[in-house]
């Protein structure tokens, strides 16, 4: 997505030089943009050809129908358009030289992707004296100009569409407001997968066989038309090669990869001068002329093998459910709650071109194990039932185990005669006097957590507890504990998997517990209850979070009635 600002006629220049003019057309040839979106009806523009004057009026924040100010904006240097691009896979762009039906397939896929993005159009809710809140009202209405191009700046076949969204929408009171594009931008991957899924369906419907296109990590990115030679796609990727060459120069010169802004500059700076006196037919001849006889025959063979009457049914709930279950295991590997679009995007990606979008949505809504947690109606927060059950179990299991033990070492005095340690001593006395099975100790970095734990262990031993075990979620965290004098430390995984558990009545301290996943946390709670352990969770949810899904420490801290102890004063590097 690119933002287009209204600075010195930039929007008008963008229209004239980049949208309406293809990268090779003569001065007399233009790309015909088409107005789309629900709000296009508001301005009597639906399906009408885009003209310079109307585009310029939107750029200047003027209603093109009524010739009045469009929104309440007064600053004329802000964002006037958002450009959402959809680009076809190289194999589709190449084959469109022979089969123009693929251009229509591309346009159909673009329209479906933009329909999904439009549903997330919103305005930001304001209160009082123009004060922003964090709330959004979904409007689901935009107006945008769609421009389809068929070549890159290097004149390679590159089917792509610029969907230029005007920075305006209509709120619930019928007033025109500036568009809040946050939710649309967050759902970019989802829209991309909607596009690639529908394009793959259209290609299959035209009789083309498809194959997975994977990135360097082996992840599916899109579907390519089978049979298009790799050397042909490499031949027609000169634009990408130009940019990569400039990126390599940048890395060699600066010793680092370019930022997003710097990448955009490299892209612009490598643009070649347009062929102002060429035509569509001439450029097609130029493109095909680059192919050798063998490559040309290979592409002709792909076209001949496409059965024109072939069609596949995509409304199969079984495929939709299979795709969703595959997606759940991937999406929730590191997160426990996500927006629905993230689940749908991954589900589409699992079987691109084999599942209808509405069938997938309906299947997701009917899956009992995928819980709708509310939020935006068009894109709610969702979580697997298994995660919800783990969270409920954790909170209930911790709260059921309160006030069931005797105090430990009520007469112990922590840090005697050390006035600078009063807060640490107070915390230790609180933990020793707790009658609960589970306690939580949050200590910010530099607050003296290590010395506090060492003194706590001295207090536990004075109360007759000799079986004290310190564990941590990672090998590196366990190694740090060993360096701090806790020689018998081990990882949480080793502790849970060990067939020889500590004896009943042991005291277990889990350091860096902010790194514990929800799954690990549940296992720790179950193990503690089964073996009659007392447990102290130590960490700082603001500093560490789990790699695996679920934020166990934060769940305890924010949503349970576990007794909490904290150190917030930083002592590290202070000169006494």
């Amino acid at each position: 997505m690119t933002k287009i600002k209204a600075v010195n006629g930039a929007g008008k220049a963008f229209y004239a030089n980049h949208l309406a003019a293809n990268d090779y057309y003569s001065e007399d040839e233009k790309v015909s943009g088409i107005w789309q979106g629900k709000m296009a009806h508001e301005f009597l523009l639906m399906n009408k050809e885009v003209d310079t004057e109307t585009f310029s009026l939107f750029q200047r924040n003027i209603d093109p129908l009524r010739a009045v100010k469009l929104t309440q904006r007064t600053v004329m240097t802000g964002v006037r358009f958002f450009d959402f691009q959809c680009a076809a896979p190289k194999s589709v762009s190449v084959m469109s030289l022979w089969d123009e039906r693929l251009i229509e397939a591309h346009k159909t896929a673009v329209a479906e992707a933009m329909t999904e993005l439009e549903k997330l159009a919103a305005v930001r809710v304001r209160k009082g004296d123009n004060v922003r809140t964090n709330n959004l009202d979904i409007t689901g209405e935009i107006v945008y100009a769609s421009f389809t191009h068929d070549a890159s700046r290097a004149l390679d076949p590159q089917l792509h569409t610029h969907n230029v969204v005007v920075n305006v929408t209509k709120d619930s009171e019928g007033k025109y407001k500036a568009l809040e594009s946050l939710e649309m931008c967050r759902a970019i991957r989802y829209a991309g997968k909607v596009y690639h899924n529908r394009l793959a369906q259209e290609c299959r419907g035209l009789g083309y066989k498809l194959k997975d296109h994977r990135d360097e990590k082996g992840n599916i990115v899109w579907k390519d038309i089978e049979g298009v030679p790799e050397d042909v796609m490499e031949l027609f990727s000169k634009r990408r090669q130009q940019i990569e060459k400039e990126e390599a120069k940048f890395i060699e010169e600066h010793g680092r990869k370019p930022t997003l802004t710097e990448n955009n500059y490299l892209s612009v700076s490598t643009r070649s001068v347009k062929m102002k006196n060429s035509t569509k037919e001439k450029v097609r001849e130029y493109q095909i002329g680059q192919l050798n006889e063998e490559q040309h025959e290979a592409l002709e063979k792909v076209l001949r093998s496409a059965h024109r009457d072939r069609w596949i049914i995509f409304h199969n709930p079984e495929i939709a459910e299979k795709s969703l279950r595959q997606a759940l295991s991937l999406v929730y590997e590191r997160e426990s709650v996500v927006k629905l679009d993230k689940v749908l995007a991954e589900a589409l990606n699992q079987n691109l071109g084999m599942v209808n979008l509405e069938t997938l949505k309906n299947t997701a809504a009917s899956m009992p194990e995928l819980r709708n947690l509310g939020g935006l109606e068009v894109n709610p927060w969702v979580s697997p039932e298994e995660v919800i059950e783990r969270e409920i179990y954790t909170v209930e299991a911790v709260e059921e185990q309160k006030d069931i033990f005797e105090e430990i070492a009520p007469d112990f005095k922590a840090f005697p005669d050390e006035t600078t340690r009063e807060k640490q001593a107070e915390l230790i006395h609180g933990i020793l006097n707790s009658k609960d099975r589970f306690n939580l100790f949050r200590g910010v970095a530099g607050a003296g957590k290590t010395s506090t734990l060492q003194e706590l262990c001295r207090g536990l031993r004075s109360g007759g507890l000799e079986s004290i075990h310190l564990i941590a979620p990672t090998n590196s965290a366990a190694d740090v504990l060993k360096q701090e004098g806790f020689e018998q430390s081990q990882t949480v995984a080793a502790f849970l998997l060990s067939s020889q558990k500590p004896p009943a009545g042991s005291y277990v301290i889990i350091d860096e517990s902010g790194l514990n996943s929800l799954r690990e946390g549940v296992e720790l709670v179950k193990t503690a209850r089964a073996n009659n352990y007392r447990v102290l969770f130590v960490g700082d949810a603001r500093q560490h979070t789990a790699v695996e899904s679920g934020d166990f420490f934060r769940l305890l801290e924010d949503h349970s009635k576990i007794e909490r102890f904290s150190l917030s004063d930083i002592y590290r590097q202070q000169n006494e």
Side-chain angles (χ1 to χ4, degrees), residues 218-467:
N219 301 315
I220 300 172
V221 184
W222 58 67
K223 291 283 188 179
D224 269 321
I225 292 178
E226 191 175 286
V228 179
E230 290 295 329
D231 59 347
V232 172
M233 290 194 278
E234 184 70 17
L235 172 67
F236 288 136
S237 299
K238 291 185 286 294
R239 176 70 181 137
R240 181 66 250 167
Q241 292 162 15
Q242 288 174 354
I243 297 173
E244 288 176 350
K245 185 178 180 180
E246 290 302 313
E247 288 177 349
K249 287 182 181 178
F250 184 96
I251 294 172
E252 184 178 353
E253 181 179 346
H254 298 275
R256 62 174 176 82
K257 292 183 178 180
T259 64
L260 179 60
T261 302
E262 291 165 339
N263 254 324
N264 288 338
Y265 173 77
L266 292 176
S267 177
V268 172
S269 65
T270 56
R271 288 176 178 171
S272 57
V273 178
K274 294 182 180 183
M275 296 175 64
K276 290 293 187 180
N277 54 7
S278 290
T279 63
K280 186 180 181 71
E281 290 72 22
K282 287 183 179 179
V283 170
R284 184 176 183 275
E285 290 176 8
Y286 166 73
Q287 292 167 335
I288 295 177
Q290 297 177 60
L291 300 170
N292 60 38
E293 186 176 344
E294 183 180 350
Q295 292 169 331
H296 195 285
E297 174 57 31
L299 297 176
E300 290 281 6
K301 182 179 179 181
V302 172
L303 181 63
R304 290 195 301 269
S305 65
H307 303 291
R308 295 178 182 273
D309 59 349
R310 183 181 175 190
W311 187 247
I312 299 175
I313 302 300
F314 303 111
H315 303 270
N316 189 331
E318 292 182 3
I319 295 179
E321 184 174 345
K322 176 185 175 183
S323 300
L324 283 164
R325 294 196 184 283
Q326 290 172 324
L328 293 181
S329 63
L330 295 171
V331 171
Y332 291 104
E333 182 180 5
R334 295 194 173 188
E335 296 179 272
S336 56
V337 180
V338 300
K339 290 288 188 74
L340 178 61
D341 72 86
K342 191 166 186 177
V343 175
L344 295 177
E346 194 55 53
L348 289 171
N349 200 47
Q350 294 305 304
N351 286 286
L352 285 172
M354 293 302 295
V355 58
N356 172 270
L357 180 59
E358 287 306 312
T359 301
L360 187 70
K361 287 182 178 180
N362 293 335
T363 303
S366 64
M367 289 179 69
E369 61 267 52
L370 188 62
R371 181 87 70 90
N372 185 327
L373 302 180
L376 300 176
E377 184 177 350
V378 293
N379 195 22
W381 294 99
V382 291
S383 183
E385 188 69 29
E386 181 183 21
V387 171
I388 304 299
E389 290 175 354
R390 284 175 176 172
E391 290 182 343
I392 293 173
Y393 168 80
T394 298
V395 172
E396 291 180 347
V398 167
E399 294 179 350
E400 287 173 358
Q401 299 293 294
K402 297 180 72 65
D403 201 27
I404 61 173
F405 291 101
E406 296 296 325
E407 298 175 356
I408 304 172
D411 298 326
F412 176 75
K413 300 297 180 185
F415 298 116
D417 304 323
E418 294 188 50
T419 56
T420 61
R421 303 279 194 172
E422 288 179 355
K423 290 187 177 180
Q424 290 166 285
E426 183 180 342
L427 179 143
I428 291 170
H429 297 150
I431 294 174
L432 292 175
N433 292 332
S434 174
K435 298 180 180 181
D436 301 345
R437 184 183 299 281
F438 301 102
N439 292 132
L440 183 145
F441 168 21
R442 184 174 69 82
V444 299
K449 182 194 70 176
T450 300
S451 58
T452 301
L453 289 179
Q454 290 170 339
E455 189 72 358
L456 173 62
C457 289
R458 196 170 71 85
L460 291 171
R461 293 189 185 94
S462 74
L465 268 173
E466 292 296 334
S467 182

Side-chain angles (χ1 to χ4, degrees), residues 529-546:
R529 295 187 63 169
N531 294 278
N532 196 31
Y533 299 152
R534 297 173 82 156
V535 177
L536 177 65
F537 297 104
V538 182
D540 184 0
R542 302 171 201 176
Q543 184 180 4
H544 296 123
T545 55

Side-chain angles (χ1 to χ4, degrees), residues 457-519:
C457 289
R458 196 170 71 85
L460 291 171
R461 293 189 185 94
S462 74
L465 268 173
E466 292 296 334
S467 182
I468 304 169
H469 299 265
L470 276 87
I471 59 178
T474 64
N475 284 318
S476 58
D479 290 340
V480 170
L481 286 174
K482 291 176 182 177
Q483 294 168 12
E484 292 171 345
F486 305 107
E487 291 85 359
Q488 302 304 315
S489 302
Q490 61 181 150
T491 65
V492 171
F495 175 81
L496 292 173
L497 292 173
S498 175
S499 58
Q500 294 183 336
K501 295 285 191 298
S506 296
Y507 199 97
V508 180
I509 300 173
I510 298 102
D511 194 23
E512 304 293 6
S513 194
L515 293 171
N516 283 131
S517 67
L518 180 59
R519 180 191 58 79

Side-chain angles (χ1 to χ4, degrees), residues 39 41-44 57-58 62-70 170 176:
M39 280 192 66
H41 294 287
E42 293 278 331
F43 306 105
L44 305 182
L57 288 171
F58 275 131
I62 297 174
D63 185 331
L65 186 62
R66 303 164 189 85
V68 296
K69 190 175 180 180
L70 189 56
K170 194 174 182 182
Y176 295 131

